[in-house]
Amino acid sequence: MFNKPLSHQAVATKAVVFDLGGVLIDLHSDKAGRELIEQYGLSRHSFAPLTRSCFESHPRSVTELAMLGKIETSTYLEAFLRECSVKNAERLRANRLSVVGRERKDVLTIVERLKQAGLKCCVLSNTIALHWERLGSAREYPSLSLFDHIFASHLIGHAKPKKEAFSFVANALKVQMAECLLVDDTLLNVEGAKAVGWRGILFSDAPQLQRDLGDLYRLDPIEALRYE
């Protein structure tokens, strides 16, 4: 997907809204999924319905319900445990927590520079209460304190790519939809943001993000070498 340089956009961006998993932190969804199938006996047929998170069909998956704050962590974990032949609740919980990885320092450096340029920097994450327990650790994720606001789907009751999630954020920030920019590694979310008037960048890595941000982000020559 080609990201149009922001320097060519007519309306000024006031808020840059980052996805969390896959952009600001590493995700280990594939590894955790393989472990469920190979070590816990979860069938491949059951895995996709449990973990679906695109919000494109009904009924909602257990993951989508958790992302909307409609069910508690215990209900979410029980749904997985029922489909596993290995019935170990503690290990299953650890597996679901292992999806959440470490901070990506190169992307967070970009966030720091955007804030220095006077932009609001926020997080809009489709997440669940279980993961939020870990993400709330200032020791493990100290850089989340950089952000002006953090919007977690299970707390606000809305999730990407639905219009309500983007409207909620814009209203909370007191900015127009056209003044918001989403940085997300999921094409569906980027397209959803653009459909309601936001700008969107499909994230691949920090160097490409730096280029896509155009005039919003300028590195000095010495610092720029770090991304070559």
Side-chain angles (χ1 to χ4, degrees), residues 37-38 48 50 57 68 79 110 112 137 162-163 166 175 197 199 211-212 222-223:
I37 292 168
E38 296 170 3
L50 285 171
S57 61
L68 292 171
I110 293 176
E112 290 174 344
S137 168
K162 294 302 182 181
K163 176 182 179 179
F166 302 116
V175 297
R199 299 169 188 171
R211 292 188 287 270
D212 289 338
I222 295 176
E223 189 171 358

Side-chain angles (χ1 to χ4, degrees), residues 155-171:
L155 296 177
I156 67 174
H158 302 294
K160 300 171 290 185
K162 294 302 182 181
K163 176 182 179 179
E164 292 79 7
F166 302 116
S167 298
F168 185 98
V169 171
N171 290 337

Side-chain angles (χ1 to χ4, degrees), residues 173-192:
L173 298 178
K174 295 180 171 57
V175 297
Q176 300 299 312
M177 299 285 263
E179 295 171 330
C180 297
L181 165 67
L182 177 69
V183 178
D184 201 296
D185 66 324
T186 300
L187 179 58
L188 184 66
N189 293 339
V190 173
E191 290 178 338

